[in-house]
Amino acid sequence: MIDSVVSAKNVRKSFGDREVIRGVNFDIRPGICFGILGPNGAGKTTLMRMLLGLSPVSEGEYRLFGHPVSDALVHSRVGVVPQLDNLDPDFSISLNLKVYAGYFGISAKEAESRIKELLEFASLAKRANDQVSSLSGGMRRRLMVARALINNPDLIVLDEPSTGLDPQARHLIWQRLRSLKNQGKTLILTTHYMEEAAELCDELIILDHGSILTRGAPQALIAEHVEPEVVAIRGLQNELDATQLCDGLDIRLDHIGDTWFCYAADVRALVTRCAQRHELTFIHRPASLEDLFLKLTGRDMRDEE
Amino acid sequence: MNRFNLIPSHVFAVWRRNFLVWKQLAGASMLGNFGDPFLYLLGLGYGLGFYIGDMNGIPYMAFLASGILCSSAMNTATFEGLYSAFTRMNQQGTWESMLVTPVRIQEIIAGEQIWAATKSLISGTAIFIVAGMLGGIQQWETALLALPVIFLIGLAFAGPALAICAISPSYDFFLYYFTLAVTPMFLFCGVFYPIDTLPAFVQLVAQLLPLTHAVALVRPLVTEMPLVMPWLHVSVLALYAIAGFMLASHLAARRLIR
């Protein structure tokens, strides 16, 4: 067994003179769910596309199962769930899978039994002969996950697997992804949803401006970078009002728009003060991955690239 | 990257995907394949043929039928390589879904090109039957050889069409290709009349175009006209097919693998 499924050594990518990946290093152990997080334009997609051979690596060493990512044959061990739906709209559900199996050179007989299994897995067995166009968003996404598994891959790469899904559909997808991990598959996931990353990832990197800001297990990262407790407050008049509210307390203040975030090891005193001011709405909660993410990448709005 | 590094099973898988889509709507598609050329043959072959009588020593219906066989092979492959391929490349993400499997870009292009030629063959066969019934085929002994030639014509036109597809920003762009390439060939490459009636300069240009060589091959095979320099014509068509394939692979890689 190899030590790492993916390894990146000083990987760089430039489009013209614009460098979008600036020398990243990481490796992914087998059997874990690895998250790639970052704001829009951070380089997540480029990092994924390079891994999948859809974008040539400008510099550095990017390896998949010990082979360079440009090696086409290594992709027979990878399954991909893209962000944009590219199912074949002209085909039924089972034909979608059958045709896709063909790209991997899987025989019709082998594909047949595999498809049955996968449709069970994706809870789509009853709809096998329905056209793809009749499926809901959640079903389509499950079908894409099933399609990514047709070649029984060791690594599954998912680009924002639950974007645009309702909570029920999202939880069903998450549950399926966890069961894949339990089967010993390695998962790589890019996402904007901190909740999703916290739920699924054993390890993650946060990427911004083409560099890795931090790496580790979600809970450990939160403990390392963010104070354990947060009070989020709305209704404060201005910055002066906010600082006066926290006066004399050991609190780090931050805000997005009209919401103020107060971070500290102990916020009981602040909570008492807030409760005395009836015009304020506030919530007291433990620090989350989102707090970490915002602390590291800043609170400014990002333009879509 | 070596563009001729093609694994046949991958190329077949791409071809098969398109075939399976076609199969679902084969009826409607065939009707379209039949319809247009059938009307041309009927309208021009009978209507115009009545006044023209013979052309180059053969009945106009036979002259025209052999020309329409070629032009429809050109149109079918061109449409497939432009509009249908563009839908798969740009709208549906089909090519990208293939690219994350072991299938490579040049195998996608090869699969698409062979599929487009297959469609030329399908529609060509339909016209062949119609032409036979309308008396457009004079020489049945060699006529069947026209079918593999139609497949080759399909390859020769699908290659350049796929190259155009790979650089096209939208469907509207294809209109240029039709106005600048397809329509002039349709009118000046010997489909409706022999090209030796044209000014010498135009004849020279016509000799560089694939449709001229397609007509020069197919017409003698289905009519009583003598076949002259067949290998030259085959070579020109093959050259267009291969050059088109290489260019399309290169341009599609540039577009999709960035």
Side-chain angles (χ1 to χ4, degrees):
Chain A
M1 194 152 172
I2 48 165
D3 314 334
S4 52
V5 174
V6 176
S7 79
K9 286 200 181 70
N10 196 28
V11 169
R12 290 172 185 277
K13 174 77 190 183
S14 307
F15 294 110
D17 41 5
R18 197 164 54 93
E19 198 174 36
V20 293
I21 298 291
R22 304 175 183 202
V24 302
N25 294 282
F26 63 90
D27 52 291
I28 301 174
R29 284 177 289 122
I32 67 164
C33 178
F34 188 85
I36 301 176
L37 278 57
N40 288 329
K44 300 186 300 287
T45 306
T46 306
L47 206 55
M48 291 277 247
R49 285 179 60 88
M50 283 196 285
L51 182 70
L52 300 175
L54 293 173
S55 178
V57 178
S58 303
E59 216 181 289
E61 203 183 87
Y62 207 178
R63 286 178 172 270
L64 190 54
F65 300 109
H67 299 272
V69 290
S70 56
D71 187 345
L73 292 178
V74 81
H75 292 106
S76 59
R77 296 178 63 185
V78 182
V80 180
V81 182
Q83 189 188 344
L84 292 177
D85 183 333
N86 58 17
L87 293 167
D88 249 313
D90 302 302
F91 291 149
S92 70
I93 292 170
S94 61
L95 195 51
N96 253 285
L97 297 175
K98 208 159 144 183
V99 167
Y100 211 70
Y103 303 143
F104 290 94
I106 297 167
S107 72
K109 200 172 146 226
E110 200 188 329
E112 203 74 41
S113 68
R114 188 105 190 97
I115 287 167
K116 233 177 132 193
E117 241 171 77
L118 288 173
L119 290 179
E120 287 299 334
F121 174 80
S123 315
L124 289 168
K126 288 199 186 100
R127 318 266 320 233
N129 296 317
D130 291 5
Q131 287 301 117
V132 161
S133 50
S134 72
L135 298 183
S136 71
M139 289 172 173
R140 294 171 83 102
R141 207 64 62 90
R142 291 200 315 267
L143 179 56
M144 292 217 283
V145 174
R147 189 181 68 172
L149 298 172
I150 194 82
N151 54 325
N152 197 13
D154 300 310
L155 171 67
I156 301 139
V157 177
L158 305 111
D159 196 358
E160 314 219 353
S162 67
T163 298
L165 299 186
D166 62 33
Q168 288 87 345
R170 181 182 302 169
H171 279 281
L172 188 53
I173 288 269
W174 287 349
Q175 190 240 318
R176 290 298 184 268
L177 296 182
R178 270 194 296 267
S179 84
L180 287 175
K181 206 173 71 182
N182 293 338
Q183 292 169 29
K185 311 271 188 207
T186 310
L187 272 61
I188 301 180
L189 172 84
T190 69
T191 184
H192 282 304
Y193 289 121
M194 295 304 124
E195 193 195 347
E196 179 166 81
E199 187 96 11
L200 294 172
C201 295
D202 302 293
E203 222 176 292
L204 53 86
I205 53 175
I206 296 181
L207 204 66
D208 199 11
H209 303 297
S211 306
I212 294 176
L213 298 178
T214 190
R215 171 194 175 155
Q219 288 312 318
L221 284 175
I222 296 166
E224 184 186 338
H225 293 278
V226 194
E227 299 80 351
E229 296 192 40
V230 191
V231 181
I233 308 169
R234 255 184 305 173
L236 288 166
Q237 276 150 26
N238 49 34
E239 187 157 3
L240 185 68
D241 195 7
T243 36
Q244 274 171 356
L245 182 72
C246 302
D247 192 34
L249 303 174
D250 182 18
I251 277 171
R252 182 170 63 86
L253 257 180
D254 209 339
H255 76 107
I256 301 180
D258 64 347
T259 306
W260 290 82
F261 295 88
C262 310
Y263 297 96
D266 183 352
V267 292
R268 275 173 296 182
L270 178 66
V271 170
T272 314
R273 287 185 195 180
C274 288
Q276 285 160 0
R277 286 183 58 178
H278 297 293
E279 79 278 19
L280 299 182
T281 24
F282 69 97
I283 181 167
H284 173 202
R285 57 172 172 79
S288 70
L289 205 51
E290 186 137 339
D291 298 302
L292 166 74
F293 185 85
L294 291 171
K295 183 181 177 193
L296 295 181
T297 61
R299 294 179 186 268
D300 311 329
M301 276 297 290
R302 301 302 174 99
D303 289 330
E304 291 276 351
E305 251 194 340
Chain B
M1 200 196 311
N2 183 2
R3 298 272 172 240
F4 289 99
N5 188 359
L6 299 167
I7 298 175
S9 67
H10 290 171
V11 178
F12 174 73
V14 175
W15 180 91
R16 175 171 170 264
R17 184 245 162 235
N18 292 343
F19 172 73
L20 289 172
V21 175
W22 175 83
K23 209 176 84 177
Q24 297 192 338
L25 294 165
S29 173
M30 287 283 272
L31 196 68
N33 290 336
F34 262 104
D36 229 31
F38 182 71
L39 292 174
Y40 266 106
L41 281 186
L42 220 55
L44 293 180
Y46 274 131
L48 204 55
F50 180 79
Y51 291 98
I52 293 173
D54 282 4
M55 189 169 272
N56 265 19
I58 55 172
Y60 190 64
M61 176 58 92
F63 187 92
L64 182 70
S66 52
I68 293 288
L69 268 173
C70 297
S71 71
S72 96
M74 166 178 79
N75 281 328
T76 306
T78 303
F79 262 96
E80 191 67 23
L82 295 178
Y83 292 91
S84 310
F86 191 78
T87 303
R88 294 188 279 268
M89 175 184 73
N90 213 46
Q91 317 298 112
Q92 291 180 186
T94 312
W95 290 10
E96 193 144 300
S97 78
M98 295 171 176
L99 283 173
V100 297
T101 74
V103 176
R104 296 301 84 199
I105 187 72
Q106 66 268 27
E107 293 162 342
I108 295 176
I109 297 296
E112 291 281 357
Q113 193 174 6
I114 295 170
W115 166 246
T118 308
K119 279 195 82 170
S120 291
L121 183 60
I122 294 168
S123 73
T125 307
I127 300 161
F128 191 85
I129 293 166
V130 174
M133 292 189 304
L134 296 177
I137 292 178
Q138 291 184 301
Q139 210 169 231
W140 286 96
E141 306 89 78
T142 56
L144 284 175
L145 280 173
L147 294 177
V149 172
I150 285 168
F151 186 77
L152 177 64
I153 298 168
L155 290 175
F157 283 99
L162 285 162
I164 296 293
C165 169
I167 56 165
S168 184
S170 70
Y171 291 105
D172 300 329
F173 188 75
F174 300 145
L175 206 56
Y176 293 110
Y177 185 64
F178 274 97
T179 309
L180 294 173
V182 177
T183 308
M185 280 196 266
F186 186 51
L187 295 174
F188 296 105
C189 287
V191 172
F192 296 102
Y193 52 87
I195 57 168
D196 47 28
T197 55
L198 292 166
F201 168 72
V202 183
Q203 280 190 49
L204 195 70
V205 175
Q207 285 301 337
L208 300 173
L209 299 172
L211 192 60
T212 309
H213 297 275
V215 172
L217 263 180
V218 170
R219 186 161 286 148
L221 288 174
V222 301
T223 68
E224 285 158 357
M225 282 174 65
L227 185 59
V228 185
M229 293 192 292
W231 292 111
L232 169 76
H233 306 311
V234 169
S235 304
V236 171
L237 292 172
L239 193 71
Y240 269 95
I242 292 167
F245 163 75
M246 288 170 65
L247 188 62
S249 300
H250 171 74
L251 294 173
R254 206 179 63 175
R255 179 175 188 139
L256 296 174
I257 303 173
R258 286 173 286 121

